[in-house]
PDB file of all heavy atoms in Angstrom:
ATOM      1  N   LEU A   1     -10.607   1.459   1.337  1.00 93.00           N
ATOM      2  CA  LEU A   1      -9.345   2.189   1.141  1.00 93.00           C
ATOM      3  C   LEU A   1      -9.434   3.474   1.953  1.00 93.00           C
ATOM      4  O   LEU A   1     -10.299   4.286   1.753  1.00 93.00           O
ATOM      5  CB  LEU A   1      -9.172   2.489  -0.328  1.00 93.00           C
ATOM      6  CG  LEU A   1      -7.781   2.902  -0.831  1.00 93.00           C
ATOM      7  CD1 LEU A   1      -6.784   1.767  -0.556  1.00 93.00           C
ATOM      8  CD2 LEU A   1      -7.799   3.245  -2.308  1.00 93.00           C
ATOM      9  N   ALA A   2      -8.501   3.608   2.928  1.00 92.00           N
ATOM     10  CA  ALA A   2      -8.636   4.651   3.951  1.00 92.00           C
ATOM     11  C   ALA A   2      -7.335   5.425   4.134  1.00 92.00           C
ATOM     12  O   ALA A   2      -6.255   4.963   3.708  1.00 92.00           O
ATOM     13  CB  ALA A   2      -9.053   4.045   5.271  1.00 92.00           C
ATOM     14  N   LYS A   3      -7.465   6.632   4.744  1.00 91.00           N
ATOM     15  CA  LYS A   3      -6.310   7.353   5.206  1.00 91.00           C
ATOM     16  C   LYS A   3      -6.355   7.402   6.726  1.00 91.00           C
ATOM     17  O   LYS A   3      -7.408   7.498   7.345  1.00 91.00           O
ATOM     18  CB  LYS A   3      -6.334   8.795   4.642  1.00 91.00           C
ATOM     19  CG  LYS A   3      -5.978   8.878   3.160  1.00 91.00           C
ATOM     20  CD  LYS A   3      -5.923  10.316   2.685  1.00 91.00           C
ATOM     21  CE  LYS A   3      -5.515  10.390   1.218  1.00 91.00           C
ATOM     22  NZ  LYS A   3      -5.464  11.793   0.752  1.00 91.00           N
ATOM     23  N   VAL A   4      -5.162   7.284   7.345  1.00 91.00           N
ATOM     24  CA  VAL A   4      -5.055   7.245   8.808  1.00 91.00           C
ATOM     25  C   VAL A   4      -3.737   7.886   9.202  1.00 91.00           C
ATOM     26  O   VAL A   4      -2.742   7.736   8.510  1.00 91.00           O
ATOM     27  CB  VAL A   4      -5.163   5.794   9.352  1.00 91.00           C
ATOM     28  CG1 VAL A   4      -4.094   4.931   8.797  1.00 91.00           C
ATOM     29  CG2 VAL A   4      -5.154   5.798  10.878  1.00 91.00           C
ATOM     30  N   VAL A   5      -3.780   8.619  10.315  1.00 87.00           N
ATOM     31  CA  VAL A   5      -2.535   9.195  10.851  1.00 87.00           C
ATOM     32  C   VAL A   5      -2.132   8.420  12.093  1.00 87.00           C
ATOM     33  O   VAL A   5      -2.873   8.316  13.060  1.00 87.00           O
ATOM     34  CB  VAL A   5      -2.741  10.681  11.196  1.00 87.00           C
ATOM     35  CG1 VAL A   5      -1.495  11.268  11.870  1.00 87.00           C
ATOM     36  CG2 VAL A   5      -3.124  11.498   9.959  1.00 87.00           C
ATOM     37  N   ILE A   6      -0.899   7.892  12.080  1.00 85.00           N
ATOM     38  CA  ILE A   6      -0.379   7.170  13.192  1.00 85.00           C
ATOM     39  C   ILE A   6       1.010   7.755  13.514  1.00 85.00           C
ATOM     40  O   ILE A   6       1.904   7.820  12.665  1.00 85.00           O
ATOM     41  CB  ILE A   6      -0.199   5.652  12.886  1.00 85.00           C
ATOM     42  CG1 ILE A   6      -1.583   5.027  12.545  1.00 85.00           C
ATOM     43  CG2 ILE A   6       0.416   4.922  14.069  1.00 85.00           C
ATOM     44  CD1 ILE A   6      -1.499   3.583  12.102  1.00 85.00           C
ATOM     45  N   ALA A   7       1.190   8.212  14.760  1.00 79.00           N
ATOM     46  CA  ALA A   7       2.461   8.772  15.215  1.00 79.00           C
ATOM     47  C   ALA A   7       2.931   9.888  14.277  1.00 79.00           C
ATOM     48  O   ALA A   7       4.096   9.858  13.830  1.00 79.00           O
ATOM     49  CB  ALA A   7       3.510   7.664  15.341  1.00 79.00           C
ATOM     50  N   THR A   8       2.071  10.848  13.980  1.00 75.00           N
ATOM     51  CA  THR A   8       2.329  12.019  13.167  1.00 75.00           C
ATOM     52  C   THR A   8       2.552  11.742  11.675  1.00 75.00           C
ATOM     53  O   THR A   8       2.794  12.656  10.910  1.00 75.00           O
ATOM     54  CB  THR A   8       3.585  12.818  13.664  1.00 75.00           C
ATOM     55  OG1 THR A   8       4.768  12.132  13.339  1.00 75.00           O
ATOM     56  CG2 THR A   8       3.524  13.054  15.156  1.00 75.00           C
ATOM     57  N   LYS A   9       2.458  10.490  11.250  1.00 83.00           N
ATOM     58  CA  LYS A   9       2.658  10.148   9.849  1.00 83.00           C
ATOM     59  C   LYS A   9       1.369   9.654   9.222  1.00 83.00           C
ATOM     60  O   LYS A   9       0.670   8.848   9.803  1.00 83.00           O
ATOM     61  CB  LYS A   9       3.733   9.068   9.729  1.00 83.00           C
ATOM     62  CG  LYS A   9       4.074   8.767   8.248  1.00 83.00           C
ATOM     63  CD  LYS A   9       5.180   7.707   8.134  1.00 83.00           C
ATOM     64  CE  LYS A   9       5.500   7.367   6.709  1.00 83.00           C
ATOM     65  NZ  LYS A   9       6.586   6.369   6.592  1.00 83.00           N
ATOM     66  N   GLN A  10       1.031  10.260   8.071  1.00 87.00           N
ATOM     67  CA  GLN A  10      -0.155   9.834   7.391  1.00 87.00           C
ATOM     68  C   GLN A  10       0.123   8.622   6.511  1.00 87.00           C
ATOM     69  O   GLN A  10       1.145   8.541   5.845  1.00 87.00           O
ATOM     70  CB  GLN A  10      -0.681  10.992   6.495  1.00 87.00           C
ATOM     71  CG  GLN A  10      -2.041  10.678   5.881  1.00 87.00           C
ATOM     72  CD  GLN A  10      -2.562  11.838   5.018  1.00 87.00           C
ATOM     73  OE1 GLN A  10      -1.872  12.240   4.100  1.00 87.00           O
ATOM     74  NE2 GLN A  10      -3.734  12.322   5.360  1.00 87.00           N
ATOM     75  N   HIS A  11      -0.817   7.674   6.514  1.00 89.00           N
ATOM     76  CA  HIS A  11      -0.695   6.427   5.780  1.00 89.00           C
ATOM     77  C   HIS A  11      -1.918   6.226   4.923  1.00 89.00           C
ATOM     78  O   HIS A  11      -3.039   6.604   5.284  1.00 89.00           O
ATOM     79  CB  HIS A  11      -0.544   5.222   6.709  1.00 89.00           C
ATOM     80  CG  HIS A  11       0.611   5.278   7.608  1.00 89.00           C
ATOM     81  ND1 HIS A  11       1.842   4.777   7.257  1.00 89.00           N
ATOM     82  CD2 HIS A  11       0.731   5.784   8.851  1.00 89.00           C
ATOM     83  CE1 HIS A  11       2.714   4.942   8.250  1.00 89.00           C
ATOM     84  NE2 HIS A  11       2.060   5.557   9.240  1.00 89.00           N
ATOM     85  N   LEU A  12      -1.695   5.574   3.787  1.00 92.00           N
ATOM     86  CA  LEU A  12      -2.784   4.959   3.016  1.00 92.00           C
ATOM     87  C   LEU A  12      -2.939   3.582   3.559  1.00 92.00           C
ATOM     88  O   LEU A  12      -1.908   2.907   3.875  1.00 92.00           O
ATOM     89  CB  LEU A  12      -2.450   4.956   1.525  1.00 92.00           C
ATOM     90  CG  LEU A  12      -3.526   4.431   0.571  1.00 92.00           C
ATOM     91  CD1 LEU A  12      -4.724   5.386   0.592  1.00 92.00           C
ATOM     92  CD2 LEU A  12      -2.940   4.289  -0.809  1.00 92.00           C
ATOM     93  N   ALA A  13      -4.172   3.065   3.683  1.00 93.00           N
ATOM     94  CA  ALA A  13      -4.377   1.767   4.284  1.00 93.00           C
ATOM     95  C   ALA A  13      -5.571   1.049   3.698  1.00 93.00           C
ATOM     96  O   ALA A  13      -6.490   1.668   3.157  1.00 93.00           O
ATOM     97  CB  ALA A  13      -4.561   1.888   5.797  1.00 93.00           C
ATOM     98  N   ALA A  14      -5.552  -0.262   3.796  1.00 95.00           N
ATOM     99  CA  ALA A  14      -6.677  -1.099   3.318  1.00 95.00           C
ATOM    100  C   ALA A  14      -7.307  -1.733   4.528  1.00 95.00           C
ATOM    101  O   ALA A  14      -6.631  -2.367   5.348  1.00 95.00           O
ATOM    102  CB  ALA A  14      -6.147  -2.178   2.372  1.00 95.00           C
ATOM    103  N   LEU A  15      -8.629  -1.571   4.696  1.00 95.00           N
ATOM    104  CA  LEU A  15      -9.383  -2.177   5.761  1.00 95.00           C
ATOM    105  C   LEU A  15     -10.008  -3.439   5.219  1.00 95.00           C
ATOM    106  O   LEU A  15     -10.872  -3.421   4.363  1.00 95.00           O
ATOM    107  CB  LEU A  15     -10.445  -1.227   6.303  1.00 95.00           C
ATOM    108  CG  LEU A  15     -11.162  -1.670   7.546  1.00 95.00           C
ATOM    109  CD1 LEU A  15     -10.210  -1.692   8.768  1.00 95.00           C
ATOM    110  CD2 LEU A  15     -12.344  -0.746   7.853  1.00 95.00           C
ATOM    111  N   VAL A  16      -9.530  -4.592   5.698  1.00 95.00           N
ATOM    112  CA  VAL A  16      -9.844  -5.883   5.113  1.00 95.00           C
ATOM    113  C   VAL A  16     -10.458  -6.818   6.116  1.00 95.00           C
ATOM    114  O   VAL A  16      -9.941  -7.010   7.201  1.00 95.00           O
ATOM    115  CB  VAL A  16      -8.560  -6.573   4.566  1.00 95.00           C
ATOM    116  CG1 VAL A  16      -8.838  -7.863   3.827  1.00 95.00           C
ATOM    117  CG2 VAL A  16      -7.791  -5.614   3.637  1.00 95.00           C
ATOM    118  N   PRO A  17     -11.598  -7.469   5.799  1.00 95.00           N
ATOM    119  CA  PRO A  17     -12.174  -8.468   6.717  1.00 95.00           C
ATOM    120  C   PRO A  17     -11.299  -9.765   6.683  1.00 95.00           C
ATOM    121  O   PRO A  17     -10.906 -10.210   5.640  1.00 95.00           O
ATOM    122  CB  PRO A  17     -13.552  -8.745   6.121  1.00 95.00           C
ATOM    123  CG  PRO A  17     -13.448  -8.422   4.692  1.00 95.00           C
ATOM    124  CD  PRO A  17     -12.457  -7.302   4.590  1.00 95.00           C
ATOM    125  N   SER A  18     -11.063 -10.309   7.859  1.00 93.00           N
ATOM    126  CA  SER A  18     -10.234 -11.527   7.935  1.00 93.00           C
ATOM    127  C   SER A  18     -10.784 -12.387   9.087  1.00 93.00           C
ATOM    128  O   SER A  18     -10.444 -12.122  10.255  1.00 93.00           O
ATOM    129  CB  SER A  18      -8.787 -11.194   8.213  1.00 93.00           C
ATOM    130  OG  SER A  18      -7.964 -12.358   8.325  1.00 93.00           O
ATOM    131  N   GLY A  19     -11.660 -13.303   8.775  1.00 93.00           N
ATOM    132  CA  GLY A  19     -12.303 -14.091   9.831  1.00 93.00           C
ATOM    133  C   GLY A  19     -13.139 -13.214  10.659  1.00 93.00           C
ATOM    134  O   GLY A  19     -13.917 -12.407  10.161  1.00 93.00           O
ATOM    135  N   PRO A  20     -13.025 -13.260  11.996  1.00 95.00           N
ATOM    136  CA  PRO A  20     -13.856 -12.443  12.884  1.00 95.00           C
ATOM    137  C   PRO A  20     -13.331 -11.015  13.004  1.00 95.00           C
ATOM    138  O   PRO A  20     -13.960 -10.182  13.664  1.00 95.00           O
ATOM    139  CB  PRO A  20     -13.780 -13.169  14.214  1.00 95.00           C
ATOM    140  CG  PRO A  20     -12.451 -13.840  14.180  1.00 95.00           C
ATOM    141  CD  PRO A  20     -12.237 -14.247  12.771  1.00 95.00           C
ATOM    142  N   ALA A  21     -12.162 -10.731  12.408  1.00 94.00           N
ATOM    143  CA  ALA A  21     -11.541  -9.432  12.621  1.00 94.00           C
ATOM    144  C   ALA A  21     -11.557  -8.583  11.374  1.00 94.00           C
ATOM    145  O   ALA A  21     -11.691  -9.075  10.255  1.00 94.00           O
ATOM    146  CB  ALA A  21     -10.075  -9.633  13.088  1.00 94.00           C
ATOM    147  N   LEU A  22     -11.361  -7.290  11.597  1.00 95.00           N
ATOM    148  CA  LEU A  22     -10.986  -6.378  10.527  1.00 95.00           C
ATOM    149  C   LEU A  22      -9.523  -6.094  10.675  1.00 95.00           C
ATOM    150  O   LEU A  22      -9.008  -5.860  11.781  1.00 95.00           O
ATOM    151  CB  LEU A  22     -11.768  -5.045  10.614  1.00 95.00           C
ATOM    152  CG  LEU A  22     -13.258  -5.113  10.225  1.00 95.00           C
ATOM    153  CD1 LEU A  22     -13.937  -3.809  10.564  1.00 95.00           C
ATOM    154  CD2 LEU A  22     -13.417  -5.434   8.744  1.00 95.00           C
ATOM    155  N   VAL A  23      -8.765  -6.139   9.544  1.00 94.00           N
ATOM    156  CA  VAL A  23      -7.355  -5.905   9.571  1.00 94.00           C
ATOM    157  C   VAL A  23      -7.080  -4.602   8.781  1.00 94.00           C
ATOM    158  O   VAL A  23      -7.566  -4.436   7.651  1.00 94.00           O
ATOM    159  CB  VAL A  23      -6.543  -7.040   8.936  1.00 94.00           C
ATOM    160  CG1 VAL A  23      -5.054  -6.695   8.800  1.00 94.00           C
ATOM    161  CG2 VAL A  23      -6.723  -8.322   9.784  1.00 94.00           C
ATOM    162  N   LEU A  24      -6.323  -3.707   9.429  1.00 94.00           N
ATOM    163  CA  LEU A  24      -5.898  -2.500   8.736  1.00 94.00           C
ATOM    164  C   LEU A  24      -4.488  -2.715   8.245  1.00 94.00           C
ATOM    165  O   LEU A  24      -3.571  -2.811   9.050  1.00 94.00           O
ATOM    166  CB  LEU A  24      -5.936  -1.269   9.667  1.00 94.00           C
ATOM    167  CG  LEU A  24      -5.671   0.060   9.030  1.00 94.00           C
ATOM    168  CD1 LEU A  24      -6.899   0.538   8.190  1.00 94.00           C
ATOM    169  CD2 LEU A  24      -5.283   1.112  10.028  1.00 94.00           C
ATOM    170  N   ASN A  25      -4.291  -2.832   6.917  1.00 94.00           N
ATOM    171  CA  ASN A  25      -2.982  -3.068   6.350  1.00 94.00           C
ATOM    172  C   ASN A  25      -2.487  -1.802   5.750  1.00 94.00           C
ATOM    173  O   ASN A  25      -3.041  -1.271   4.808  1.00 94.00           O
ATOM    174  CB  ASN A  25      -3.067  -4.178   5.271  1.00 94.00           C
ATOM    175  CG  ASN A  25      -1.715  -4.877   5.125  1.00 94.00           C
ATOM    176  OD1 ASN A  25      -0.694  -4.225   5.043  1.00 94.00           O
ATOM    177  ND2 ASN A  25      -1.780  -6.183   5.057  1.00 94.00           N
ATOM    178  N   LEU A  26      -1.414  -1.229   6.366  1.00 93.00           N
ATOM    179  CA  LEU A  26      -0.828  -0.008   5.813  1.00 93.00           C
ATOM    180  C   LEU A  26      -0.244  -0.300   4.450  1.00 93.00           C
ATOM    181  O   LEU A  26       0.340  -1.342   4.187  1.00 93.00           O
ATOM    182  CB  LEU A  26       0.310   0.502   6.752  1.00 93.00           C
ATOM    183  CG  LEU A  26      -0.102   0.842   8.180  1.00 93.00           C
ATOM    184  CD1 LEU A  26       1.042   1.482   8.911  1.00 93.00           C
ATOM    185  CD2 LEU A  26      -1.356   1.680   8.262  1.00 93.00           C
ATOM    186  N   LEU A  27      -0.435   0.667   3.539  1.00 93.00           N
ATOM    187  CA  LEU A  27      -0.021   0.501   2.161  1.00 93.00           C
ATOM    188  C   LEU A  27       1.097   1.434   1.827  1.00 93.00           C
ATOM    189  O   LEU A  27       1.252   2.521   2.444  1.00 93.00           O
ATOM    190  CB  LEU A  27      -1.198   0.760   1.203  1.00 93.00           C
ATOM    191  CG  LEU A  27      -2.442  -0.098   1.389  1.00 93.00           C
ATOM    192  CD1 LEU A  27      -3.545   0.388   0.421  1.00 93.00           C
ATOM    193  CD2 LEU A  27      -2.152  -1.583   1.150  1.00 93.00           C
ATOM    194  N   ARG A  28       1.912   1.098   0.851  1.00 91.00           N
ATOM    195  CA  ARG A  28       2.881   2.037   0.323  1.00 91.00           C
ATOM    196  C   ARG A  28       2.125   3.004  -0.594  1.00 91.00           C
ATOM    197  O   ARG A  28       1.192   2.611  -1.301  1.00 91.00           O
ATOM    198  CB  ARG A  28       3.958   1.297  -0.483  1.00 91.00           C
ATOM    199  CG  ARG A  28       4.795   0.376   0.384  1.00 91.00           C
ATOM    200  CD  ARG A  28       5.868  -0.385  -0.441  1.00 91.00           C
ATOM    201  NE  ARG A  28       6.707  -1.171   0.428  1.00 91.00           N
ATOM    202  CZ  ARG A  28       6.433  -2.443   0.818  1.00 91.00           C
ATOM    203  NH1 ARG A  28       5.334  -2.986   0.366  1.00 91.00           N
ATOM    204  NH2 ARG A  28       7.232  -3.113   1.608  1.00 91.00           N
ATOM    205  N   TRP A  29       2.556   4.249  -0.608  1.00 89.00           N
ATOM    206  CA  TRP A  29       1.984   5.214  -1.525  1.00 89.00           C
ATOM    207  C   TRP A  29       2.371   4.904  -2.946  1.00 89.00           C
ATOM    208  O   TRP A  29       3.354   4.219  -3.201  1.00 89.00           O
ATOM    209  CB  TRP A  29       2.443   6.623  -1.173  1.00 89.00           C
ATOM    210  CG  TRP A  29       1.995   7.111   0.141  1.00 89.00           C
ATOM    211  CD1 TRP A  29       2.748   7.165   1.298  1.00 89.00           C
ATOM    212  CD2 TRP A  29       0.714   7.674   0.515  1.00 89.00           C
ATOM    213  NE1 TRP A  29       2.024   7.647   2.354  1.00 89.00           N
ATOM    214  CE2 TRP A  29       0.778   7.989   1.894  1.00 89.00           C
ATOM    215  CE3 TRP A  29      -0.451   7.865  -0.218  1.00 89.00           C
ATOM    216  CZ2 TRP A  29      -0.342   8.518   2.554  1.00 89.00           C
ATOM    217  CZ3 TRP A  29      -1.550   8.443   0.479  1.00 89.00           C
ATOM    218  CH2 TRP A  29      -1.474   8.740   1.832  1.00 89.00           C
ATOM    219  N   GLY A  30       1.574   5.371  -3.903  1.00 87.00           N
ATOM    220  CA  GLY A  30       1.804   5.017  -5.294  1.00 87.00           C
ATOM    221  C   GLY A  30       3.195   5.351  -5.776  1.00 87.00           C
ATOM    222  O   GLY A  30       3.777   4.583  -6.549  1.00 87.00           O
ATOM    223  N   ASP A  31       3.766   6.499  -5.339  1.00 87.00           N
ATOM    224  CA  ASP A  31       5.087   6.895  -5.837  1.00 87.00           C
ATOM    225  C   ASP A  31       6.218   6.177  -5.046  1.00 87.00           C
ATOM    226  O   ASP A  31       7.394   6.399  -5.339  1.00 87.00           O
ATOM    227  CB  ASP A  31       5.279   8.403  -5.712  1.00 87.00           C
ATOM    228  CG  ASP A  31       5.074   8.940  -4.312  1.00 87.00           C
ATOM    229  OD1 ASP A  31       4.818   8.137  -3.365  1.00 87.00           O
ATOM    230  OD2 ASP A  31       5.162  10.169  -4.110  1.00 87.00           O
ATOM    231  N   GLU A  32       5.868   5.285  -4.137  1.00 87.00           N
ATOM    232  CA  GLU A  32       6.855   4.493  -3.386  1.00 87.00           C
ATOM    233  C   GLU A  32       7.100   3.120  -4.046  1.00 87.00           C
ATOM    234  O   GLU A  32       8.001   2.417  -3.662  1.00 87.00           O
ATOM    235  CB  GLU A  32       6.449   4.316  -1.949  1.00 87.00           C
ATOM    236  CG  GLU A  32       6.442   5.594  -1.120  1.00 87.00           C
ATOM    237  CD  GLU A  32       6.024   5.392   0.310  1.00 87.00           C
ATOM    238  OE1 GLU A  32       5.264   4.427   0.583  1.00 87.00           O
ATOM    239  OE2 GLU A  32       6.382   6.202   1.158  1.00 87.00           O
ATOM    240  N   VAL A  33       6.236   2.783  -4.983  1.00 88.00           N
ATOM    241  CA  VAL A  33       6.339   1.492  -5.665  1.00 88.00           C
ATOM    242  C   VAL A  33       6.898   1.697  -7.035  1.00 88.00           C
ATOM    243  O   VAL A  33       6.330   2.476  -7.840  1.00 88.00           O
ATOM    244  CB  VAL A  33       4.982   0.771  -5.731  1.00 88.00           C
ATOM    245  CG1 VAL A  33       5.113  -0.517  -6.546  1.00 88.00           C
ATOM    246  CG2 VAL A  33       4.484   0.479  -4.323  1.00 88.00           C
ATOM    247  N   LYS A  34       8.015   1.082  -7.351  1.00 86.00           N
ATOM    248  CA  LYS A  34       8.663   1.276  -8.671  1.00 86.00           C
ATOM    249  C   LYS A  34       7.830   0.614  -9.761  1.00 86.00           C
ATOM    250  O   LYS A  34       7.199  -0.393  -9.548  1.00 86.00           O
ATOM    251  CB  LYS A  34      10.061   0.705  -8.643  1.00 86.00           C
ATOM    252  CG  LYS A  34      11.014   1.453  -7.689  1.00 86.00           C
ATOM    253  CD  LYS A  34      12.417   0.860  -7.775  1.00 86.00           C
ATOM    254  CE  LYS A  34      13.343   1.640  -6.871  1.00 86.00           C
ATOM    255  NZ  LYS A  34      14.734   1.098  -6.949  1.00 86.00           N
ATOM    256  N   THR A  35       7.940   1.186 -10.954  1.00 85.00           N
ATOM    257  CA  THR A  35       7.235   0.581 -12.112  1.00 85.00           C
ATOM    258  C   THR A  35       8.065  -0.567 -12.648  1.00 85.00           C
ATOM    259  O   THR A  35       9.200  -0.796 -12.210  1.00 85.00           O
ATOM    260  CB  THR A  35       7.024   1.640 -13.194  1.00 85.00           C
ATOM    261  OG1 THR A  35       8.302   1.998 -13.752  1.00 85.00           O
ATOM    262  CG2 THR A  35       6.338   2.896 -12.663  1.00 85.00           C
ATOM    263  N   LEU A  36       7.529  -1.263 -13.613  1.00 84.00           N
ATOM    264  CA  LEU A  36       8.236  -2.393 -14.275  1.00 84.00           C
ATOM    265  C   LEU A  36       9.154  -1.939 -15.408  1.00 84.00           C
ATOM    266  O   LEU A  36       9.815  -2.754 -16.011  1.00 84.00           O
ATOM    267  CB  LEU A  36       7.223  -3.372 -14.802  1.00 84.00           C
ATOM    268  CG  LEU A  36       6.248  -4.014 -13.817  1.00 84.00           C
ATOM    269  CD1 LEU A  36       5.276  -4.891 -14.496  1.00 84.00           C
ATOM    270  CD2 LEU A  36       7.009  -4.735 -12.706  1.00 84.00           C
ATOM    271  N   ASP A  37       9.190  -0.597 -15.582  1.00 85.00           N
ATOM    272  CA  ASP A  37      10.036  -0.104 -16.682  1.00 85.00           C
ATOM    273  C   ASP A  37      11.493  -0.501 -16.526  1.00 85.00           C
ATOM    274  O   ASP A  37      12.052  -0.403 -15.392  1.00 85.00           O
ATOM    275  CB  ASP A  37       9.948   1.462 -16.739  1.00 85.00           C
ATOM    276  CG  ASP A  37       8.546   1.912 -17.073  1.00 85.00           C
ATOM    277  OD1 ASP A  37       7.756   1.125 -17.532  1.00 85.00           O
ATOM    278  OD2 ASP A  37       8.270   3.117 -16.820  1.00 85.00           O
ATOM    279  N   GLY A  38      12.086  -0.957 -17.592  1.00 81.00           N
ATOM    280  CA  GLY A  38      13.481  -1.299 -17.537  1.00 81.00           C
ATOM    281  C   GLY A  38      13.743  -2.785 -17.211  1.00 81.00           C
ATOM    282  O   GLY A  38      14.909  -3.237 -17.298  1.00 81.00           O
ATOM    283  N   LEU A  39      12.697  -3.505 -16.816  1.00 81.00           N
ATOM    284  CA  LEU A  39      12.862  -4.907 -16.569  1.00 81.00           C
ATOM    285  C   LEU A  39      12.632  -5.710 -17.856  1.00 81.00           C
ATOM    286  O   LEU A  39      11.695  -5.462 -18.569  1.00 81.00           O
ATOM    287  CB  LEU A  39      11.869  -5.390 -15.475  1.00 81.00           C
ATOM    288  CG  LEU A  39      12.014  -4.721 -14.141  1.00 81.00           C
ATOM    289  CD1 LEU A  39      10.980  -5.286 -13.145  1.00 81.00           C
ATOM    290  CD2 LEU A  39      13.407  -4.877 -13.552  1.00 81.00           C
ATOM    291  N   ASP A  40      13.493  -6.663 -18.086  1.00 80.00           N
ATOM    292  CA  ASP A  40      13.383  -7.539 -19.277  1.00 80.00           C
ATOM    293  C   ASP A  40      12.421  -8.682 -19.007  1.00 80.00           C
ATOM    294  O   ASP A  40      12.861  -9.743 -18.575  1.00 80.00           O
ATOM    295  CB  ASP A  40      14.749  -7.997 -19.741  1.00 80.00           C
ATOM    296  CG  ASP A  40      14.712  -8.780 -21.009  1.00 80.00           C
ATOM    297  OD1 ASP A  40      13.694  -8.666 -21.727  1.00 80.00           O
ATOM    298  OD2 ASP A  40      15.718  -9.493 -21.323  1.00 80.00           O
ATOM    299  N   LEU A  41      11.115  -8.449 -19.155  1.00 78.00           N
ATOM    300  CA  LEU A  41      10.170  -9.431 -18.811  1.00 78.00           C
ATOM    301  C   LEU A  41       9.497 -10.018 -20.051  1.00 78.00           C
ATOM    302  O   LEU A  41       9.238  -9.255 -21.025  1.00 78.00           O
ATOM    303  CB  LEU A  41       9.049  -8.817 -17.919  1.00 78.00           C
ATOM    304  CG  LEU A  41       9.507  -8.181 -16.603  1.00 78.00           C
ATOM    305  CD1 LEU A  41       8.338  -7.483 -15.930  1.00 78.00           C
ATOM    306  CD2 LEU A  41      10.141  -9.197 -15.706  1.00 78.00           C
ATOM    307  N   PRO A  42       9.234 -11.325 -20.065  1.00 80.00           N
ATOM    308  CA  PRO A  42       8.563 -11.910 -21.251  1.00 80.00           C
ATOM    309  C   PRO A  42       7.088 -11.437 -21.271  1.00 80.00           C
ATOM    310  O   PRO A  42       6.476 -11.170 -20.230  1.00 80.00           O
ATOM    311  CB  PRO A  42       8.647 -13.415 -20.988  1.00 80.00           C
ATOM    312  CG  PRO A  42       8.769 -13.565 -19.491  1.00 80.00           C
ATOM    313  CD  PRO A  42       9.540 -12.331 -19.068  1.00 80.00           C
ATOM    314  N   PRO A  43       6.506 -11.315 -22.457  1.00 79.00           N
ATOM    315  CA  PRO A  43       5.101 -10.910 -22.556  1.00 79.00           C
ATOM    316  C   PRO A  43       4.206 -11.864 -21.791  1.00 79.00           C
ATOM    317  O   PRO A  43       4.478 -13.033 -21.658  1.00 79.00           O
ATOM    318  CB  PRO A  43       4.850 -10.960 -24.055  1.00 79.00           C
ATOM    319  CG  PRO A  43       6.164 -10.888 -24.696  1.00 79.00           C
ATOM    320  CD  PRO A  43       7.100 -11.587 -23.758  1.00 79.00           C
ATOM    321  N   ALA A  44       3.087 -11.313 -21.282  1.00 77.00           N
ATOM    322  CA  ALA A  44       2.152 -12.114 -20.480  1.00 77.00           C
ATOM    323  C   ALA A  44       1.103 -12.654 -21.385  1.00 77.00           C
ATOM    324  O   ALA A  44       0.835 -12.224 -22.487  1.00 77.00           O
ATOM    325  CB  ALA A  44       1.503 -11.233 -19.393  1.00 77.00           C
TER     326      ALA A  44
END
């Protein structure tokens, strides 16, 4: 789990092994992902 700056913007990212490569997958920040509050979901 890493931080990286690309084109003046800071990102949270996941560095993941994928076959012969390492893949850097940019992540959404925690406050950019909505919670499940207000959704009528059946219990798990």
Side-chain angles (χ1 to χ4, degrees):
L1 197 59
K3 287 184 178 179
V4 59
V5 176
I6 301 176
T8 74
K9 185 178 179 181
Q10 188 179 55
H11 300 271
L12 185 65
L15 189 66
V16 184
S18 178
L22 287 172
V23 174
L24 186 75
N25 206 314
L26 302 188
L27 304 175
R28 296 178 176 89
W29 295 99
D31 57 2
E32 293 178 335
V33 175
K34 295 182 178 181
T35 67
L36 300 178
D37 296 343
L39 299 181
D40 185 16
L41 302 174

